[in-house]
Amino acid sequence: MAQESLKHFLLVFDHKSASIQDIQEFGEDTEVAVAAYSETERRYTHDQMIEVVLIGSDSLDTVKRTHANYFDGTVALSKYLIDL
Amino acid sequence: MPRPELQFSKKRVRKAGEILRSMSITPDQIEEVAEALTIAENWRACHSYALQRATMGLRSRVMTSTGERGDVSQRLKRIVTIIDKLHREPTMKLDTMRDIAGCRAVVPTVGAVRLVQRQWQKSFQADRILRVNDYIKSPRSSGYRAVHLYVIYDDLPVEVQIRSHLQHAWAITLEQIGGRLGFDLKSGRGPQEILDYFALVAEAMAIDESGDDVSRELAVSIKAARLKIQPFLESTQHPPTSSR
């Protein structure tokens, strides 16, 4: 299998509205993505309700599944998790 | 990608961790704290190369062992979470923290989790696997289940999480509810009623996943626990008070 790319996504999640405020995509440029991560974290240090996180994956669709806590519409795979 | 250079000695990384831990700042310490933060950020950035290699390794092992792509992602730990960990674990050192870099695979079943785990252990030098935390055999008290491997790339540790779809759904729901209520439930912090509910549910989900039947007692306990968490769930229209 050909080595697939790893794209970086910088998510800014707002706990007040429980929604993503911003997603920046950095493609494969790790250095730029990591620098932007620190810079964005610093910008929001005063606001505990904002969570900044840098996630890398083959696509945003995969991120939506592996880090579904930041996204709506997770499928409740178990009856015990429905309607929580 | 160019490999980030650590611009400080490891000793200074450790000291940076100690400073971030203390964080009771007088005005003359502000510069020191600012520098500690810069060092911690640089230390984290240094893990990005190792992390990328581990993620690629995880992808290929998921494919080799299960014949499917699975879902694989990586993340660098947030600085606030690093600081929080230094607070929570007084013996923790920043220069030896093992989960600054982490990657995760979500695969269909517990059987697939074991296949991926075995593939790592078969195809990776044993001395580069620092530790295996088998949270399927020995779940965390929260109920969290998965397998975590700590592997070394480029002299740096990377945490590899392997979860089944069901285990992942449980963990994600815990994070979401924690976020809504403003509690770090996955670290065991929050109302006992909610922690109890999730621990019971994790047990039942593991039994479901194994193909066995959930006992009547467990089903009854879950029903009772579910009633107790209802008031918390109904209160989540209000913004949470704090979050990490």
Side-chain angles (χ1 to χ4, degrees):
Chain A
M1 188 178 71
Q3 181 129 317
E4 288 171 66
S5 67
L6 188 104
K7 298 179 194 117
H8 299 284
F9 302 92
L10 185 63
L11 312 186
V12 178
F13 182 82
D14 183 356
H15 282 279
K16 282 192 293 290
S17 57
S19 64
I20 300 253
Q21 206 177 64
D22 188 37
I23 301 180
Q24 273 188 78
E25 189 182 331
F26 289 90
E28 295 178 39
D29 197 335
T30 305
E31 210 177 346
V32 171
V34 172
Y37 186 16
S38 292
E39 192 196 310
T40 311
E41 276 183 312
R42 283 180 178 231
R43 204 183 316 146
Y44 288 106
T45 39
H46 64 284
D47 191 347
Q48 288 221 339
M49 301 304 281
I50 298 287
E51 183 168 335
V52 179
V53 66
L54 182 68
I55 301 172
S57 196
D58 57 346
S59 71
L60 187 59
D61 282 341
T62 304
V63 174
K64 285 180 180 176
R65 291 191 295 269
T66 57
H67 292 78
N69 47 308
Y70 299 116
F71 299 89
D72 274 341
T74 51
V75 186
L77 288 176
S78 163
K79 61 182 173 189
Y80 303 111
L81 304 179
I82 291 170
D83 293 334
L84 285 178
Chain B
M1 103 185 220
R3 180 180 154 187
E5 298 264 340
L6 179 63
Q7 294 154 18
F8 310 92
S9 68
K10 278 243 206 160
K11 210 173 143 189
R12 295 199 58 200
V13 173
R14 180 169 296 202
K15 177 138 186 272
E18 298 308 328
I19 289 167
L20 293 173
R21 190 206 312 279
S22 64
M23 274 296 187
S24 45
I25 314 164
T26 58
D28 57 323
Q29 284 177 315
I30 287 175
E31 256 180 59
E32 214 181 12
V33 171
E35 196 192 24
L37 192 58
T38 301
I39 295 171
E41 286 170 347
N42 176 233
W43 178 237
R44 177 179 68 178
C46 285
H47 287 69
S48 57
Y49 183 78
L51 176 55
Q52 204 145 322
R53 291 184 62 198
T55 303
M56 295 301 177
L58 181 56
R59 265 188 198 170
S60 74
R61 284 175 179 90
V62 168
M63 187 45 122
T64 306
S65 59
T66 70
E68 289 177 42
R69 292 165 49 94
D71 284 329
V72 176
S73 287
Q74 64 169 48
R75 69 97 185 91
L76 282 173
K77 207 174 188 71
R78 302 165 58 224
I79 289 290
V80 288
T81 315
I82 291 174
I83 295 170
D84 186 52
K85 188 162 185 154
L86 291 168
H87 276 294
R88 274 189 292 129
E89 300 175 34
T91 58
M92 177 61 63
K93 312 285 181 211
L94 181 58
D95 58 319
T96 54
M97 199 178 273
R98 285 187 304 205
D99 61 348
I100 290 175
C103 55
R104 170 183 296 169
V106 182
V107 295
T109 60
V110 170
V113 171
R114 293 302 188 196
L115 289 175
V116 178
Q117 176 192 354
R118 260 178 249 139
Q119 183 66 25
W120 267 102
Q121 290 177 302
K122 197 169 75 181
S123 62
F124 208 64
Q125 290 159 263
D127 62 352
R128 283 171 62 206
I129 300 181
L130 271 183
R131 193 183 163 89
V132 178
N133 283 349
D134 188 340
Y135 295 123
I136 295 177
K137 213 180 264 172
S138 313
R140 286 190 181 150
S141 55
S142 64
Y144 179 79
R145 284 161 168 83
V147 170
H148 290 190
L149 302 168
Y150 296 88
V151 297
I152 300 284
Y153 276 100
D154 207 31
D155 290 330
L156 290 169
V158 178
E159 181 187 74
V160 179
Q161 301 179 348
I162 314 165
R163 301 172 172 175
S164 73
H165 278 153
L166 270 179
Q167 291 167 345
H168 183 58
W170 178 92
I172 290 291
T173 307
L174 185 78
E175 286 216 35
Q176 278 176 330
I177 302 281
R180 251 162 61 191
L181 296 173
F183 295 110
D184 185 6
L185 298 176
K186 63 179 181 171
S187 302
R189 293 185 286 196
Q192 196 57 47
E193 293 89 337
I194 295 178
L195 297 172
D196 288 346
Y197 180 73
F198 273 94
L200 289 169
V201 159
E203 195 185 330
M205 287 173 71
I207 294 168
D208 276 347
E209 186 157 22
S210 75
D212 289 336
D213 290 328
V214 171
S215 71
R216 207 183 129 67
E217 286 119 295
L218 181 55
V220 168
S221 305
I222 288 175
K223 260 195 188 153
R226 181 72 171 74
L227 287 174
K228 284 192 196 162
I229 67 167
Q230 202 53 36
F232 296 100
L233 299 176
E234 282 163 7
S235 73
T236 55
Q237 303 312 319
H238 304 292
T241 49
S242 72
S243 68
R244 285 274 175 203

